Amino acid sequence: MAAVLQVLPYVARAPFRPLLSGGPVVRQASGMALAEQAQQLFESTVGAMLPGPMLHRALSLDPGSGLLKVRDRSFQLRQNLHLVGFGKAVLGMAAAAEELLGQHLVQGVISVPKGIRAAMEHAGKQEMLLKPHSRVQVFEGAEDNLPDRDALRAALAIRQLAEGLTADDLLLVLISGGGSALLPAPIPPVTLEEKQTLTKLLAARGANIQELNTIRKALSQLKGGGLAQAAYPAQVVSLILSDVVGDPVEVIASGPTVASVHNVQDCLHILNRYGLRAALPRSVKTVLARADSDPHGPHTCGHVLNVIIGSNALALAEAQQRAEALGYRAVVLSAAIQGDVKSVAQFYGLLARVAGAHLTPPGTAASVEQEEQLHQLAAELQLPDLQLKEALETVVGAGGPICLLAGGEPTVQLQGSGKGGRNQELALRVGAELGRWPPGPVDVLFLSGGTDGQDGPTEAAGAWVVPELASQAAAEGLDVASFLSRSDSHTFFRCFRGGVHLLHTGLTGTNVMDAHLLLLRPR
Ligand SMILES: Nc1ncnc2c1ncn2[C@@H]1O[C@H](COP(=O)(O)OP(=O)(O)OP(=O)(O)O)[C@@H](O)[C@H]1O
Ligand SMILES: O=C(O)[C@H](O)CO
């Protein structure tokens, strides 16, 4: 039976608990400042994807019979549950899983980022920590998201646990972003250092995550279905928190429980594309050559159920519900925003102009060419799930506050030695775009935030902007364009109005990429 992939439906009402201390109560849109609403909506985007609510939605155990339901499948638990996990959000996921299923848990091994337990302890996030006497062994490693000896030890412990299972066992696999670096298990004779060097070179030359993980899978004992193979004949259930646009399970953390659809030719094309094929270490050539003649063929994963339990799309759906509770007409534009941050910012700036014009009395309508330019930009971004037409139709008929939601992961070409992050750069660029149009009688706000709570090497999660930002900044002697020319968005927001436009959540314990909110409210 082929491996099964299921995606949890629309998230149930996640218990809303403001991430920021003393978060605002829900009041009607008119009664709250736009910035307060935007931050509350961002909190609900993140809140729905926190490990506890996510696992509670994904797993349902009948304490009497020991029957575990995961989506439309059932598994009989009788102290036969084993757990492994790897990823930046996996500590909290393991804590939630052990709380729910602990009476059946025999043993567990998880591989999580170095220092995360201390960080969660410091942040007072007890729900993200395993209880004392937990049966789950924790390995911390992969400092700076790079595979290291600590992560290698974790991967070997995970493989050893998997290989010891029988057909009576159930292996729960917890997977989230950052998992690849936390599960390094190079196929000999490839060494950890050789694999590290190759992936760093690929990333530095612009390889995207799909390309990077195709190479990682080809050189790994556990990625690309290898973990599922090691666990056979045990039943495997993978609960996956997606940090990749489009939620491709074979790419997320390099698909350890998903049969790989790539072959050696795919790898060679990628290596050629980035000029790395000629300089490959002999060990890598040996492993790639052997892969083609592998007697076992690609890993079969018929004994596996892969379930996406958290994603950007699910998070945005939650925020859409919140926005409607605040009195907005809300539309999810896309959960697959990609492309250069400059183009993405232009798109949002024009969208605000066109949408804002539809919300104001006739006579201030956006020009036809601006609408055409907006559709042109959208076409150039090639967003597979874009709901632009639906969004504009909603705006035309609204006559009241509008909330346009989107998410994904734009790319930034770094310039200069400034300090910033994808979200802060996008927000600042959108702020500059908004300032180019004469503000009609509409309040406009744009927010961009990283759902893991950390945007680039800064302590901010992101930032929010309004059309007046550039002119207000100029009055403070801050030139937006100059900061952008140095990729120095964090410094700008730290200086501008005492940092009030920065978004701070602390490490959230989840990661479903970035969330973008565009709020428009007629005066
Ligand atoms: N000064 C800067 N200005 C703008 N963007 C920056 C700057 N410095 C780093 N970045 C961007 O931040 C991104 C790294 O962000 P971050 O550290 O949050 O990791 P990530 O890509 O979100 O990975 P993860 O999913 O593990 O969080 C890179 O895409 C990089 O281009
Ligand atoms: O770990 C990885 O491979 C990336 O975070 C994508 O999931």
Side-chain angles (χ1 to χ4, degrees), residues 19 30 205 212 353 392 399 403 405 425 441 457 474 514:
L19 276 169
S30 56
R205 294 188 181 191
L212 210 53
R353 169 76 181 110
L392 293 177
C403 173
L405 305 109
E425 169 123 357
D514 305 340

Side-chain angles (χ1 to χ4, degrees), residues 56 62 111 117 242 251 288 330 368 377 391 444 479 488 512:
H56 276 86
D62 178 327
S111 179
R117 285 179 290 184
S242 170
V251 176
L288 289 179
V368 171
L377 258 178
V444 180
D479 173 33
D488 209 11
V512 286

